[in-house]
Amino acid sequence: SPLSEGYRGDAASSLQEYLNFAASVYPSVPRIAVDGVFGPQTRRAVREFQRAAGLPVTGVADRETWDALAAIFRRGAAGQT
């Protein structure tokens, strides 16, 4: 299910880790703390990632956003960034 500002938990930590990885591909995406709290900094990073990836800029980590982040992570893990 989509994650949005105010969410706390493991899924937010995973999102933050993915966003930090995406920051190495998209310099406009800010690096953020991995603290499991979807706060204003995470929302901003989601919005910047969505903008850079050509997705609708909502600040909500929906399925399309997760899929795009996961694809970047898989490429990086395979050494294809």
Side-chain angles (χ1 to χ4, degrees), residues 1-17:
S1 63
L3 294 189
S4 58
E5 193 167 352
Y7 179 89
R8 293 172 177 263
D10 291 343
S13 294
S14 296
L15 175 64
Q16 291 163 335
E17 290 173 4

Side-chain angles (χ1 to χ4, degrees), residues 11 14 26 30 34 37 39 43 74:
S14 296
Y26 297 113
V34 178
V37 178
R43 183 174 154 292
R74 281 194 301 272

Side-chain angles (χ1 to χ4, degrees), residues 59-80:
V60 173
D62 57 12
R63 167 62 84 197
E64 194 175 14
T65 301
W66 276 106
D67 287 350
L69 283 166
I72 290 170
F73 192 80
R74 281 194 301 272
R75 283 197 303 271
Q80 301 171 355

Side-chain angles (χ1 to χ4, degrees), residues 34-47:
V34 178
D35 60 7
V37 178
F38 193 135
Q41 288 77 27
T42 301
R43 183 174 154 292
R44 182 171 155 253
V46 169
R47 289 177 60 83

